Amino acid sequence: LKFGPRRRVRHRPSGPIPSNQTDSMGSGVSYKHMEHGMEPPKTRAKQRTAEELVAENAVMKQALMEIGAGANYYASGDAVREIKDDMRMPSTGNSGNHCYRMLSDFHELDCRERLNTSSYVNVVLEEEEVKAVNLGMRINIADQTTYPSSFKVHNITLNMIANLWNCPKPADFDDYGAFPGAGTVGSTEACLLGGLCLKFRWRKWYAARNGLTEGEVRGVYPNLVISTCFQAAWEKLFRYMDVEAKFVTPSKDTFAITAEGVKAQIDDKTIGVVAILGNHYGGQYDPVWEIDEM
């Protein structure tokens, strides 16, 4: 046998019930109307002003925000918070899931990677590539002493690229176990570092040739010869690294420069010549061998 809680039963008193007496729940419904099957009288709702409705809506909105995630339709209260000033650091942070949602919304407006056929970068990654990138995010590769194993991977990759391009082995290779070079975040950083290497090497050569001190040679304005089909990274070198651009206009038939056109631009202030192996417009190659022999 199962016994539940004892229930109290309130009996209706005998005799006439005053018309103004309420039921046991205090609902305000008179027994007089219940006896005769009549509907209780309806009270007229108070007419509210527009200002009162706006104020009530603001109170309800604030209460909704305070409820928090998981208790309403929105991902969090952040989703209904109005951002009045996005130029300043907010006094309070947002939830992690809402921050990710905001970033993914911006990303959605910019990128549909699998439909992107106009970019020359790798936009679709395999699962293993994403895992490898996430591993690298936890490593500060600039600190070689703290992450020696990760830097060993860096040098292995560097040596592979150097051998691919037939780079001459330096005299101190056995001391460092690697060719001179550095891994970069992207091609722009690689172009800037490569341009600086050309500039610093040229400075030593120019100073020795003209009998200049290190301070004097810094006042000489060097130049770099390149096709007008150059990538935008080189414009950053010209603007920020104090290098003059000397352009060679390619043929409209071949979209490639010629060795003769390069030779006309070279002087003793030229730090180097950039040949493009596959320009953005048609993928044409500049004649690297002919420029080198020239």
Side-chain angles (χ1 to χ4, degrees), residues 202-222:
W202 167 85
R203 272 182 179 173
K204 292 182 179 180
W205 172 85
Y206 191 86
R209 180 181 182 183
N210 295 277
L212 302 178
T213 64
E214 183 177 349
E216 291 172 336
V217 76
R218 288 176 179 268
V220 182
Y221 192 32

Side-chain angles (χ1 to χ4, degrees), residues 36-72:
H36 300 283
M38 299 170 58
E39 291 290 335
K42 296 181 179 179
T43 59
R44 182 182 299 274
K46 179 183 177 182
Q47 296 294 329
R48 291 178 294 175
T49 64
E51 290 77 9
E52 291 175 334
L53 293 174
V54 171
E56 181 181 352
N57 183 60
V59 172
M60 295 177 63
K61 186 175 181 180
Q62 181 64 31
L64 179 63
M65 292 173 57
E66 294 175 354
I67 291 176
N72 53 66

